[in-house]
Amino acid sequence: MAGDLVSTLADLKEKEALGIVQDRLSAGDDPLSILDDARRALEIVGKRFADSEYFIPDLVYSGEILKGITDMVKPKLAKAAEVKRLGKVVMGTVAGDIHDIGKDIVVFMLDVSGYEVYDLGVDVPAQKFVEKIKESGAPIVGLSGFLALAFDSMKETVEAIKAAGLRDKVKVMIGGGQMSEEIRKYTGADAYGKDAMAGVTLAQKWVGAK
Amino acid sequence: MEKKWEEMSSDEKQEELFNRWLSPKDPEGNDLKFQNPKAEKTYKERITRIKDAAQLKKAPDRVPVCPLPNMFPTFYYGITPQEAMYDYDKCSAAWKKFVLDFEPDAHMGCAGPGPGKFFEILDYKLYSWPGHGVAPEHSYQCNEGEYMTADGYDALIDDPSNFFSNVYLPRVFGKLEGFRMLPALTGILEMYGVAFNFIPFGLPPVQEAYKALFDAGAEALKWAGSVGGFDGEMAISGFPALLGGFTKVPFDTIGDTLRGTRGIMLDMYRQPDKLIEAMEALTPLMIKMGVGAAQMNGKPVIFIPLHKGADGFLSDEQFKKFYWPYFRKVLIGLIEEGCVPFPVAEGGYNSRLEVIKDLPKGKTIWMFDTTDMARAKKTIGTVACITGNMPTDLLALGTPQQVKDYAKKLIDTAGKGGGYIMTNGAFFDKVKPENVKAMVDFTKKYGVYK
């Protein structure tokens, strides 16, 4: 009999988790229910990270195990699973900065918290943010940056959003390396998040307020 | 009669390296001729100040202050980081202006930007640099990747040198592709078979790689003439160069540029024993790297940038299992050879303070970025000199008065009784010059120990 995928994956037992998935697929289990369990497990991982029980390596590893599970389940899926999402977020590391770890963690945390995240990657020009906001209609924008040069890129990105007439349609949060409340003021963003959880809290506040 | 190096205790070795730093030589090996007696006096006072802060035996005459920039001198001088990487004379001129205008107690030299053309000659893939993947006015940044694959551990552990020459170098330098064909030099033993080993050197890809190396070497030499001359010129004017060399923590060596962050984090779960074995193999190499440089340059302070051990990057258990044991071995190895390790903890190190204080007293200098300095003073500060913490955002956007207020707080807490050097928390780029000036001048006035 297959063990509990939710707790096994949440406890980061890769081999066991993949074994359970294999057993359940062989037994003809619904692939969607497997993915749903995986999603619930990742929620637990996110919560443990928020509680400082898990750290970055644990997030990275859980994401890797999930990838393995998705690879196994995907061929059995009739069509892409429709998941109800809380809201849309456009995320990226601003122009000139190619650091991705912090941004990836926020993307991960938002994703497991139920948000649809458009990850634009690193070194993202201001205009690309603007285009994605237009295209997706996302009400939340996350600007990530590790280097001090990101102060200016963030400011320019916020200005570009304003110039496109979108400033009152989105809330902008910034985070990463040397960011602070002072930098937030400088860039013209709406909020500064000290860590990944702060990003999720902000998104919840903003989506709830809508 | 003078004691031989091998007969000295680690205390005596440290003293000896400080003495060599205090008595600099010119390129011919003769005693350096200072500009004037005042420059000589100031030079020695500056080093003595840092030495007193580091050794924790007594408070220095005042808190030493060393603003440690990244690309700031280029902006201050009015050139881009790209120009600094491609015009070596402009680079040293920019750093010279920085040192002469701000008068730090020690500087980190002008080797930071590095020689742009050299990197081009070898087609360096590990970094993007100004004009070569990032904008001319930005600093270089690392392109993380798995330059060592998950199954590469055995090759690294068995023969690190061979792994670097035949696997790692061809991956990070496009022009060294031919090195994949190099023979193992340890196979060159007896008359019979010797020539087989030399066949690769006759093959076009290997010869191409060597041609690129010769060109790169010539460019590096050209650059070294400029940046090496800078240190000497500054010393003559009374400004000591801080660093004797640099090395890394084995976990970062693997996690930064071999396996990458993602790679090493997965290895902690999937192949922890291999990771540990590889760190054990790298530990003596990391020690030698620092010790060798300190000996060659005649200066004790060895820079160790810290990355993957910061708060949040590893749990306490992971830090204690994977990071600290080999880090500590490197520190102790350096200390035993008279070096003063200078670990630079970027990000926060609050959760590590209790662990890292397990060190002999007066042997290390710890630079902190966002770490709580009052807590650092009570923990690691009881056995080591601490430095840093002036926030980048304050230097970039604050006022001189705000910088002075922050500096006062640092001197009052971290600087109490000695054992503190005023510096920024993170190596800075474009900040307000008047704020850097405020940090230095205020420390020189307010930081005097009575």
Side-chain angles (χ1 to χ4, degrees):
Chain A
M1 190 56 214
D4 178 24
L5 179 61
V6 180
S7 63
T8 311
L9 173 51
D11 292 342
L12 307 178
K13 292 175 183 156
E14 182 175 24
K15 276 187 191 146
E16 282 180 48
L18 294 180
I20 293 170
V21 171
Q22 190 56 60
D23 289 349
R24 281 175 62 171
L25 286 174
S26 308
D29 204 350
D30 178 6
L32 278 179
S33 81
I34 296 176
L35 284 186
D36 194 51
D37 281 355
R39 189 191 52 76
R40 280 165 53 208
L42 272 276
E43 256 179 51
I44 296 173
V45 170
K47 191 171 175 309
R48 288 181 185 168
F49 180 71
D51 295 342
S52 298
E53 200 181 319
Y54 276 179
F55 293 83
I56 298 173
D58 311 294
L59 287 194
V60 170
Y61 190 41
S62 70
E64 192 69 15
I65 304 173
L66 177 69
K67 219 175 102 213
I69 294 175
T70 316
D71 287 347
M72 289 165 74
V73 173
K74 244 184 194 158
K76 311 264 181 186
L77 278 177
K79 61 178 172 68
E82 292 286 330
V83 188
K84 217 175 138 236
R85 291 290 184 168
L86 294 172
K88 294 174 177 175
V89 184
V90 172
M91 273 288 303
T93 302
V94 294
D97 199 327
I98 61 172
H99 291 85
D100 58 4
I101 297 172
K103 188 250 319 157
D104 287 350
I105 293 165
V106 180
V107 169
F108 177 94
M109 291 301 287
L110 284 168
D111 185 44
V112 300
S113 305
Y115 292 86
E116 184 164 2
V117 188
Y118 299 92
D119 183 357
L120 302 181
V122 297
D123 189 15
V124 181
Q127 213 44 44
K128 214 170 145 193
F129 278 103
V130 171
E131 282 159 23
K132 199 69 195 178
I133 296 165
K134 275 188 195 159
E135 182 197 314
S136 65
I140 299 169
V141 180
L143 305 181
S144 174
F146 180 75
L147 302 170
L149 67 87
F151 304 166
D152 285 323
S153 295
M154 285 177 172
K155 190 177 158 92
E156 283 155 20
T157 306
V158 174
E159 277 161 8
I161 293 172
K162 203 170 174 181
L166 299 165
R167 189 64 188 89
D168 56 346
K169 294 191 174 65
V170 293
K171 291 278 192 187
V172 182
M173 58 167 121
I174 64 165
Q178 303 290 323
M179 302 309 147
S180 68
E181 183 53 26
E182 281 309 304
I183 306 296
R184 199 248 347 133
K185 281 185 212 154
Y186 175 76
T187 59
D190 297 295
Y192 144 70
K194 190 172 104 330
D195 51 34
M197 268 326 285
V200 175
T201 310
L202 284 169
Q204 274 159 353
K205 197 176 95 189
W206 289 340
V207 167
K210 289 242 154 206
Chain B
M1 208 186 104
E2 275 184 33
K3 263 192 189 175
K4 281 187 189 154
W5 183 260
E6 303 79 46
E7 295 163 354
M8 291 183 193
S9 68
S10 66
D11 282 347
E12 288 167 332
K13 285 176 178 172
Q14 192 202 65
E15 209 59 41
E16 170 64 19
L17 279 176
F18 270 117
N19 283 339
R20 284 192 212 165
W21 191 17
L22 280 160
S23 329
K25 304 284 179 202
D26 67 15
E28 281 76 44
N30 305 310
D31 286 343
L32 187 82
K33 286 203 174 59
F34 288 92
Q35 207 169 45
N36 50 48
K38 186 170 170 274
E40 180 170 7
K41 188 168 166 275
T42 319
Y43 178 91
K44 293 187 173 166
E45 281 170 357
R46 287 185 168 127
I47 292 177
T48 306
R49 196 168 287 138
I50 292 167
K51 183 184 168 193
D52 287 341
Q55 291 186 329
L56 300 182
K57 287 177 188 158
K58 58 173 174 151
D61 59 346
R62 68 159 165 80
V63 174
V65 53
C66 307
L68 302 174
N70 184 40
M71 291 292 184
F72 172 77
T74 66
F75 302 113
Y76 181 62
Y77 186 67
I79 58 172
T80 62
Q82 182 181 34
E83 282 174 280
M85 285 187 76
Y86 283 86
D87 187 329
Y88 312 142
D89 290 339
K90 268 190 193 165
C91 175
S92 75
W95 258 256
K96 186 174 161 185
K97 181 171 169 56
F98 169 76
V99 171
L100 295 181
D101 285 3
F102 294 98
E103 303 190 314
D105 282 317
H107 65 84
M108 280 188 33
C110 68
K117 196 178 163 204
F118 163 90
F119 297 122
E120 273 183 24
I121 292 170
L122 291 178
D123 183 19
Y124 196 31
K125 296 170 185 303
L126 189 55
Y127 281 77
S128 295
W129 62 92
H132 210 275
V134 302
E137 66 276 16
H138 289 165
S139 177
Y140 54 77
Q141 299 172 46
C142 185
N143 297 309
E144 265 209 40
E146 295 196 18
Y147 299 98
M148 173 177 134
T149 50
D151 58 5
Y153 277 102
D154 285 334
L156 174 69
I157 294 160
D158 289 348
D159 188 346
S161 293
N162 187 261
F163 176 81
F164 268 74
S165 65
N166 289 44
V167 181
Y168 178 70
L169 296 187
R171 282 186 187 146
V172 296
F173 296 109
K175 291 288 179 190
L176 300 188
E177 185 63 34
F179 272 20
R180 290 179 199 279
M181 299 174 175
L182 286 184
L185 297 179
T186 41
I188 303 169
L189 295 169
E190 293 187 14
M191 183 96 173
Y192 172 78
V194 165
F196 287 128
N197 290 285
F198 284 80
I199 292 169
F201 295 104
L203 303 173
V206 177
Q207 294 193 340
E208 284 301 313
Y210 273 97
K211 273 181 202 141
L213 270 191
F214 292 156
D215 291 346
E219 189 63 28
L221 207 56
K222 196 176 137 197
W223 170 77
S226 204
V227 301
F230 170 82
D231 283 359
E233 205 185 332
M234 289 300 98
I236 287 169
S237 311
F239 296 99
L242 180 62
L243 302 184
F246 125 98
T247 191
K248 287 185 71 163
V249 176
F251 190 90
D252 286 331
T253 303
I254 296 173
D256 288 350
T257 54
L258 290 174
R259 293 285 293 127
T261 308
R262 183 180 155 280
I264 199 168
M265 286 179 171
L266 297 179
D267 296 338
M268 285 172 20
Y269 290 98
R270 288 175 174 165
Q271 41 182 349
D273 297 342
K274 288 283 178 209
L275 172 57
I276 284 172
E277 214 182 315
M279 292 194 291
E280 276 166 355
L282 287 176
T283 298
L285 301 178
M286 296 296 107
I287 295 171
K288 274 183 208 157
M289 185 172 158
V291 170
Q295 287 293 339
M296 197 171 75
N297 296 317
K299 296 190 195 86
V301 178
I302 300 297
F303 173 51
I304 310 177
L306 307 181
H307 297 137
K308 309 274 177 334
D311 288 340
F313 273 81
L314 298 175
S315 70
D316 291 353
E317 295 80 69
Q318 287 162 344
F319 183 78
K320 283 182 207 156
K321 181 175 176 187
F322 292 102
Y323 201 91
W324 176 239
Y326 312 98
F327 181 11
R328 189 173 185 279
K329 274 185 195 167
V330 170
L331 293 175
I332 296 296
L334 291 169
I335 290 166
E336 279 172 355
E337 286 304 303
C339 298
V340 176
F342 172 46
V344 174
E346 297 180 340
Y349 238 59
N350 293 302
S351 57
R352 317 300 185 206
L353 294 172
E354 293 291 338
V355 182
I356 61 175
K357 72 175 187 190
D358 175 25
L359 286 172
K361 191 175 174 181
K363 305 288 192 182
T364 52
I365 302 173
W366 289 76
M367 179 164 158
F368 293 112
D369 178 5
T370 62
T371 302
D372 177 345
M373 293 304 270
R375 273 182 64 192
K377 183 74 174 174
K378 284 186 200 126
T379 49
I380 180 74
T382 60
V383 294
C385 174
I386 57 176
T387 167
N389 189 246
M390 177 62 73
T392 306
D393 63 333
L394 200 55
L395 290 174
L397 301 175
T399 63
Q401 188 55 48
Q402 286 173 311
V403 170
K404 283 182 205 168
D405 292 344
Y406 200 94
K408 180 175 184 298
K409 206 177 74 188
L410 278 173
I411 293 168
D412 290 343
T413 51
K416 205 173 173 190
Y420 176 70
I421 300 171
M422 176 70 70
T423 56
N424 37 283
F427 302 106
F428 55 95
D429 292 314
K430 216 174 190 171
V431 301
K432 290 182 191 162
E434 63 267 31
N435 285 347
V436 180
K437 191 89 184 134
M439 170 173 117
V440 176
D441 293 352
F442 178 80
T443 305
K444 287 185 180 173
K445 230 191 282 168
Y446 184 75
V448 175
Y449 291 102
K450 286 161 192 134

